[in-house]
Amino acid sequence: MNIIRGAAASTLLGLCLTLTLPGPGLAAAASAPTPALSAKDTARPEVSLPRTAGRHPVGRRTLHLSDHRRHDPWVPSARRELMVSVHYPARAGRGAPAAYMTEDEARLLLEARGLVGVVPAAALSSVRPHARMDARPARGRFPLVVLSPGFSMPRSTLTALATDLASRGYVVAAVHHAYESAGTAFPGGRVLTCLACEQVVTDRERARVAENRADDLSFVIDELTTRRAASGTGRGTGSLPFAPMIDTRRIAVAGHSIGGAAAIALMRQDRRVRAGVNLDGNFFVPFAGADLKGRPFMMMGAADTHGPGSAGSDWRDAWARLEGWKRWLTVTGAEHFTFTDLPLLADGLGLSDPTTPLSGERSWQLTRDYTAAFLDRHLYGLARPLLDGPAADRPEVAFPRA
């Protein structure tokens, strides 16, 4: 799965590769004859994300939020802006299919990954995520989950997880952090690129990213749970009144890579957040895991890079500080992007590597099942024996103890 694996080889600490270093595996994907597509085939491959497992149809609304209280950490002359995809339980009915990402965002991501000429931007932007734009919300109140993607990665790389959770009865807000992605489209035709990728080199700077993201996520929670803000104050682009459908007593956070570091940083500063998940990211922030007041946290990562004896991983220290319910899961055969949409996209676009241990479908199943089980247990209070220990039908997943 060279579209993914080459980058993963350079990201053992759980931080996505900076955009200036495409990595040998990606170059191989672009030049190898096996995944190359004919001009006819590359016009627009039909790719869909997996169907959702829950009982609810899924709606989506895209929000443009501006935090007028904060300056942007990468462009201090500007206020902090965010693009947010909110997926939510919807009623059955009509609605335009949601796009996976804009074509500009797709083009910039492909350029960053060295795949121009191999995958057309239109093929990536037109992936079908099984959500309908502006669908009427389902009746009732639901837990809120905020999602933060990996460094340099767009929020769309967590779409499969967001739509599946929404189908199970969660409002899910995936956040695009300005200047921290290959490309982020904003209203009015603006497209911001990854200025942060040129500035973040050390672990201390990565900790700063995580802490800034925690501020972003806390602001998103404010906006979605405040009736005045969520019903339309000029800050949101076409916002629905989400506050009436969100149960503020049940809020969680999950993130991939440095988004996982942001998850634990958010829990430390925002007591509204009851539970958190880190998907294959180092923590970077000082004293990660301390001062969570017993709130549950789950770490799920690749066995090669986040096992108890893995060099470069800081999970052992964080594990020791966690005082509440906790799980440390490792997945044999996983790599850094296993826990995102990228393996699914690689398979769908004909760029998967048959020699890799986990298929895109299996990667997705494991990420979905354990993340949903964790949230169901801690936000809905449901029994989820899957979290009690190894399962015969999921032999890839281990429960190590530090």
Side-chain angles (χ1 to χ4, degrees), residues 24 69 75 86 102 104 106 126 136 138 142 164-165 170 178 181 221 245 249 308 321 331 371:
R69 301 166 300 180
V75 181
V86 184
T102 70
D104 281 338
S126 63
R136 296 175 64 197
F142 306 95
D164 188 77
L165 290 174
Y170 295 91
S181 166
I221 293 171
M245 68 182 305
R249 300 166 302 173
R321 297 187 192 102
V331 183
T371 304

Side-chain angles (χ1 to χ4, degrees), residues 188-243:
R190 290 183 301 143
V191 180
L192 306 184
T193 55
C194 192
L195 296 183
C197 292
E198 303 170 2
Q199 303 179 41
V200 177
V201 178
T202 67
D203 282 357
R204 183 174 181 179
E205 290 162 340
R206 291 162 188 150
R208 178 190 173 207
V209 172
E211 289 162 350
N212 283 330
R213 286 191 175 201
D215 291 338
D216 290 344
L217 297 173
S218 190
F219 170 67
V220 170
I221 293 171
D222 290 344
E223 291 292 287
L224 293 179
T225 59
T226 302
R227 289 178 182 267
R228 175 188 57 80
S231 61
T233 62
R235 299 177 184 176
T237 299
S239 60
L240 284 170
F242 287 109

Side-chain angles (χ1 to χ4, degrees), residues 126-167:
S126 63
V127 168
R128 295 179 63 86
H130 301 293
R132 294 177 293 114
M133 294 300 297
D134 305 332
R136 296 175 64 197
R139 294 182 177 87
R141 303 190 74 199
F142 306 95
L144 171 65
V145 182
V146 289
L147 298 180
S148 183
F151 193 58
S152 86
M153 292 291 106
R155 70 189 187 278
S156 52
T157 55
L158 298 176
T159 299
L161 181 60
T163 53
D164 188 77
L165 290 174
S167 78

